C-alpha cells in the first residue's frame, strides 16, 4: 500500500471518517509493528495534543478498530463529497481524547505577499459622544464629562463601578473589532464575554424600576446577575429580545447572518419574538438553542452540544455542518482579514472542522494540504481559487 494511501487512511481515522471497508484495511496494516510506528509518527507530525502523550497503545488501537468493524457500517457515515480526503472533517477525536491541529510539515502555497492582519482598536463611546481607545496592554481609569470615575479598564476587561440605580440612563457603546475579544462587567455585576466584530450598547447604571436592557450586535456570552425585580433583556434586533432574571447564555446575532442563535447554558430564558401577529414568547431550558430566522421571523428550538457554541471563549473554532462560505466569514471575523472565494460550488459544500488557537496561515495551509483547496494572497487579501 502506498504511503499516500496510508496517510489518507490515518487522517480519516483520527477525523472519524473511515468506512467499514477502510477500517478493515487499516486494521490489517497496523498488525505490523513497523506500520504502527508509522501511524504514531504521522499523528505526532500532523496533530498536536494539548497534553503530553508520546506513544499510543497498539492493543487499544486494534480494539477500537475491531469494535468499529462490528458496528453498523453507517457508524462512520459521512456526507458524500467529490473527493475522499478533500472534505474530510478536521475535528480530531482519537480514543476519546481530543486532538487539535497545530502544525503540519506541508508545502506552503505560493504567495506574492505575506499576510498581515489589520490592527484595530477596541473603542468605548461615552454618553457625551467622546470616544475612548482601550489598549489591552494597559490599564486606565474611565471618567465621565464631570471627571467622575465610573469604571476601570485592566488589560482585556472593563469593570464598571457598582451602582444600584440611576434616575437618568446614560449609555456607553463598546465596540470590539475583528480580530479582538474583550470582557465587560456591568454596574449590576453582570459579566459579559464579547467576541470579535461585536458592539454592545448599555447603561452606565440601570434604572430603579423596570428592566435592565442592553443592545447587542455580534456575539457575546452573558453571566447575568440575578435581580427578580428587574429582568435583564438583550435586544439583538428590532424583532427579538432575550429576557432573563439571572442565568448564563450565549447570543450570536451578527447583522449579516441569516440566523440569530440564543444558547442557554444555565437557568432559563424567554425569547420574545415581535412579528406582525404580535409578541410570541419561546422558553428555553439548559442545553437548548433557539434559532431566529431573520427572513421569516420564526424561532426553532433544538438540543445542542453547549461546548461547540461556547468554545470561542477558549480560543477554539469549532464548525459543525457549516458551509465553506460561512466558515470563511467566521475566519474573517476571528483574524480581521479579507477573504474572497471565487469557487462558488466549493462555497456551498458542508464541512466539519475544529482548530486550536493557531494563525490563519496554518489554517489555510492545512486546507490546502488535506482538502486540495488552493489560495493566493494579493495585497493582503486571500483569494480562494
Amino acid at each position: 500500500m502506498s504511503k499516500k494511501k496510508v496517510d489518507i487512511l490515518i487522517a480519516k481515522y483520527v477525523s472519524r471518517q473511515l468506512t467499514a471497508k477502510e477500517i478493515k484495511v487499516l486494521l490489517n496494516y497496523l498488525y505490523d509493528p513497523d506500520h504502527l510506528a508509522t501511524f504514531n509518527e504521522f499523528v505526532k507530525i500532523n496533530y498536536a495534543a494539548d497534553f503530553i502523550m508520546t506513544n499510543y497503545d497498539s492493543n487499544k488501537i486494534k480494539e477500537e478498530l475491531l469494535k468499529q468493524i462490528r458496528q453498523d457500517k453507517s457508524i462512520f457515515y459521512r456526507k458524500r463529497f467529490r473527493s475522499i480526503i478533500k472534505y474530510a472533517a478536521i475535528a480530531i477525536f482519537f480514543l476519546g481524547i481530543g486532538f487539535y491541529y497545530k502544525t503540519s510539515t506541508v508545502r506552503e502555497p505560493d504567495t506574492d505577499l505575506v499576510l498581515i492582519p489589520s490592527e484595530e482598536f477596541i473603542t468605548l463611546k461615552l454618553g457625551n459622544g467622546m470616544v475612548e481607545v482601550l489598549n489591552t496592554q494597559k490599564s486606565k481609569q474611565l471618567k465621565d464629562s464631570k471627571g467622575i470615575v465610573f469604571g476601570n479598564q485592566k488589560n482585556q476587561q472593563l469593570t464598571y463601578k457598582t451602582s444600584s440605580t440611576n434616575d437618568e440612563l446614560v449609555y456607553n457603546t463598546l465596540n470590539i473589532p475583528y480580530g479582538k475579544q474583550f470582557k465587560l462587567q456591568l454596574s449590576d455585576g453582570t459579566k459579559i464575554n464579547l467576541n470579535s466584530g461585536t458592539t454592545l450598547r448599555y447603561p452606565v447604571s440601570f434604572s430603579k424600576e423596570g428592566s435592565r436592557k442592553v443592545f447587542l450586535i455580534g456575539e457575546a456570552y452573558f453571566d447575568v446577575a440575578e435581580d427578580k425585580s428587574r429582568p435583564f433583556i438583550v435586544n439583538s434586533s428590532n424583532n427579538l429580545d432575550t429576557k432573563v432574571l439571572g442565568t448564563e447564555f450565549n447570543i450570536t446575532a451578527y447583522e449579516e447572518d441569516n440566523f440569530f442563535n440564543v444558547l442557554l447554558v444555565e437557568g432559563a430564558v424567554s425569547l420574545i419574538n415581535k412579528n406582525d401577529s404580535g409578541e410570541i414568547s419561546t422558553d428555553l431550558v439548559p442545553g437548548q438553542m433557539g434559532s431566529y430566522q431573520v427572513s421569516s421571523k420564526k424561532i426553532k428550538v433544538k438540543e445542542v452540544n453547549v461546548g461547540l457554541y461556547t468554545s470561542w471563549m477558549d480560543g477554539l473554532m469549532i464548525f459543525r455542518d457549516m458551509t465553506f462560505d460561512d466558515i470563511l466569514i467566521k475566519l474573517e471575523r476571528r483574524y480581521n482579514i479579507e477573504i474572497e472565494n471565487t469557487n462558488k460550488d466549493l462555497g456551498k459544500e458542508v464541512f466539519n472542522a475544529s482548530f486550536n488557537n493557531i494563525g490563519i496561515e496554518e489554517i489555510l495551509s492545512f486546507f490546502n494540504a488535506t482538502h486540495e483547496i488552493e489560495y493566493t494572497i494579493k495585497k493582503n487579501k486571500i483569494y480562494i481559487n
Side-chain angles (χ1 to χ4, degrees):
M1 187 161 47
S2 67
K3 183 180 183 302
K4 181 178 180 180
K5 186 174 182 180
V6 171
D7 288 349
I8 290 175
L9 285 177
I10 296 174
K12 290 177 70 178
Y13 174 69
V14 294
S15 60
R16 297 268 181 192
Q17 300 296 317
L18 284 175
T19 65
K21 183 178 179 180
E22 289 168 336
I23 291 171
K24 293 179 182 179
V25 174
L26 182 58
L27 178 63
N28 290 331
Y29 177 82
L30 291 178
Y31 274 119
D32 187 326
D34 292 336
H35 292 168
L36 184 61
T38 300
F39 177 94
N40 292 343
E41 188 63 22
F42 178 91
V43 174
K44 284 201 311 187
I45 290 175
N46 291 279
Y47 302 99
D50 288 337
F51 50 86
I52 298 174
M53 174 177 267
T54 56
N55 291 299
Y56 303 97
D57 189 320
S58 60
N59 290 326
K60 286 185 178 180
I61 295 172
K62 293 169 186 175
E63 287 174 8
E64 178 76 5
L65 289 169
L66 286 170
K67 178 182 178 182
Q68 293 164 11
I69 289 174
R70 289 192 293 268
Q71 293 174 341
D72 186 87
K73 291 182 180 181
S74 64
I75 191 67
F76 280 99
Y77 172 77
R78 64 180 175 87
K79 296 178 181 175
R80 295 184 179 276
F81 298 121
R82 292 172 298 179
S83 169
I84 290 176
I85 192 61
K86 181 174 182 179
Y87 299 105
I90 305 171
I92 307 304
F93 295 100
F94 177 72
L95 299 179
I97 303 173
F99 287 84
Y100 293 97
Y101 170 77
K102 184 177 182 182
T103 185
S104 177
T105 56
V106 297
R107 178 184 60 84
E108 291 285 348
D110 294 331
T111 59
D112 58 353
L113 285 175
V114 176
L115 185 65
I116 305 175
S118 300
E119 177 69 19
E120 296 184 32
F121 295 99
I122 296 170
T123 60
L124 178 68
K125 184 178 181 181
L126 306 181
N128 59 9
M130 294 183 62
V131 176
E132 293 271 0
V133 175
L134 304 184
N135 187 334
T136 57
Q137 304 299 318
K138 297 181 179 181
S139 300
K140 66 187 299 185
Q141 285 186 329
L142 296 172
K143 302 178 181 180
D144 61 19
S145 58
K146 298 178 181 179
I148 299 174
V149 176
F150 63 82
N152 291 282
Q153 181 229 336
K154 185 176 182 180
N155 302 121
Q156 297 187 28
Q157 177 163 330
L158 172 58
T159 302
Y160 280 73
K161 293 185 65 175
T162 302
S163 175
S164 56
T165 59
N166 193 344
D167 293 332
E168 181 182 358
L169 292 181
V170 177
Y171 284 89
N172 284 182
T173 301
L174 186 60
N175 181 63
I176 316 301
Y178 284 177
K180 303 281 188 180
Q181 293 182 359
F182 199 69
K183 294 180 180 180
L184 172 68
Q185 182 169 318
L186 301 179
S187 61
D188 67 339
T190 293
K191 299 176 181 178
I192 308 171
N193 281 40
L194 299 135
N195 205 353
S196 56
T198 296
T199 299
L200 185 72
R201 182 172 177 263
Y202 52 90
V204 174
S205 295
F206 293 98
S207 299
K208 295 179 182 179
E209 300 176 351
S211 62
R212 297 169 288 165
K213 192 168 187 176
V214 302
F215 302 84
L216 173 74
I217 298 173
E219 182 170 25
Y221 184 95
F222 292 82
D223 183 356
V224 176
E226 184 175 0
D227 186 339
K228 294 182 179 179
S229 65
R230 297 184 300 167
F232 193 94
I233 296 176
V234 182
N235 175 268
S236 47
S237 82
N238 292 331
N239 301 300
L240 182 66
D241 285 341
T242 302
K243 182 178 180 180
V244 304
L245 295 177
T247 186
E248 295 186 36
F249 57 97
N250 194 88
I251 296 182
T252 307
Y254 289 97
E255 289 181 315
E256 63 271 25
D257 288 351
N258 297 320
F259 290 89
F260 293 170
N261 296 320
V262 179
L263 168 68
L264 180 60
V265 179
E266 293 182 8
V269 303
S270 294
L271 305 185
I272 311 300
N273 180 12
K274 295 170 283 187
N275 54 35
D276 297 336
S277 303
E279 291 188 357
I280 301 174
S281 179
T282 302
D283 296 332
L284 300 181
V285 300
Q288 286 185 335
M289 184 172 71
S291 292
Y292 170 80
Q293 187 174 31
V294 177
S295 58
S296 68
K297 300 180 182 179
K298 293 182 179 180
I299 295 174
K300 291 185 179 180
V301 178
K302 63 180 179 179
E303 302 283 339
V304 298
N305 182 334
V306 171
L308 297 181
Y309 295 88
T310 60
S311 60
W312 62 269
M313 291 186 293
D314 297 318
L316 304 178
M317 289 182 293
I318 301 178
F319 310 124
R320 290 293 177 270
D321 296 324
M322 187 175 294
T323 66
F324 188 65
D325 277 344
D326 285 341
I327 289 176
L328 294 182
I329 290 173
K330 290 185 176 292
L331 291 177
E332 286 183 321
R333 292 172 184 159
R334 174 66 175 269
Y335 295 101
N336 194 24
I337 44 87
E338 188 176 357
I339 305 175
E340 180 177 330
N341 179 25
T342 60
N343 189 332
K344 303 303 179 183
D345 291 335
L346 172 62
K348 298 176 183 178
E349 297 290 354
V350 176
F351 287 77
N352 290 304
S354 297
F355 295 107
N356 204 339
N357 192 16
I358 59 176
I360 182 64
E361 293 89 350
E362 292 175 282
I363 293 177
L364 293 172
S365 180
F366 186 82
F367 268 112
N368 175 265
T370 60
H371 305 307
E372 301 173 4
I373 295 173
E374 296 184 355
Y375 69 94
T376 56
I377 299 173
K378 294 182 179 179
K379 297 183 179 179
N380 211 36
K381 181 177 178 179
I382 299 169
Y383 293 86
I384 307 294
N385 303 319

